[in-house]
Amino acid sequence: RAAAAAGLASATVVELWELQRRVVFTDDWLAPFMPHDGDRRWRWLDSGYQRHPWMSSSQDTCASSNTPPISPPKGLVLDSAGWEVLPPGAGQ
């Protein structure tokens, strides 16, 4: 969620998808790592499974990050609540 920099009581819901792949014969989950995963190796993606336009890190950093490494564009700031998961349909 990103709040308006002007201090208004509004919020913008930013949709990101976290993708992970289970490592065979273990209980470990990692960012997608197979050659055919392509852009999905970024781990944090938009709803079209493409690299999110607000992404502010390299692919390796993004793949290892437990929170979305994105920077809001000028005029928006991440509020003090930070990132939160909204239930399906809550941002509409």
Side-chain angles (χ1 to χ4, degrees):
R1 210 193 298 213
L8 302 175
S10 64
T12 299
V13 175
V14 178
E15 186 176 51
L16 288 163
W17 290 87
E18 179 183 14
L19 299 181
Q20 292 192 0
R21 182 182 290 282
R22 189 175 68 81
V23 180
V24 180
F25 305 120
T26 72
D27 291 331
D28 296 335
W29 289 82
L30 299 172
F33 53 85
M34 301 294 285
H36 62 274
D37 286 330
D39 280 345
R40 290 172 178 86
R41 287 185 258 175
W42 282 87
R43 181 176 178 178
W44 298 98
L45 306 168
D46 65 13
S47 59
Y49 298 112
Q50 301 297 313
R51 180 181 177 271
H52 195 278
W54 293 8
M55 199 64 60
S56 60
S57 300
S58 68
Q59 182 178 349
D60 290 337
T61 301
C62 185
S64 64
S65 180
N66 289 323
T67 58
I70 64 172
S71 297
K74 186 177 180 178
L76 294 176
V77 295
L78 189 61
D79 64 18
S80 61
W83 293 108
E84 59 185 50
V85 177
L86 298 177
Q92 297 176 349

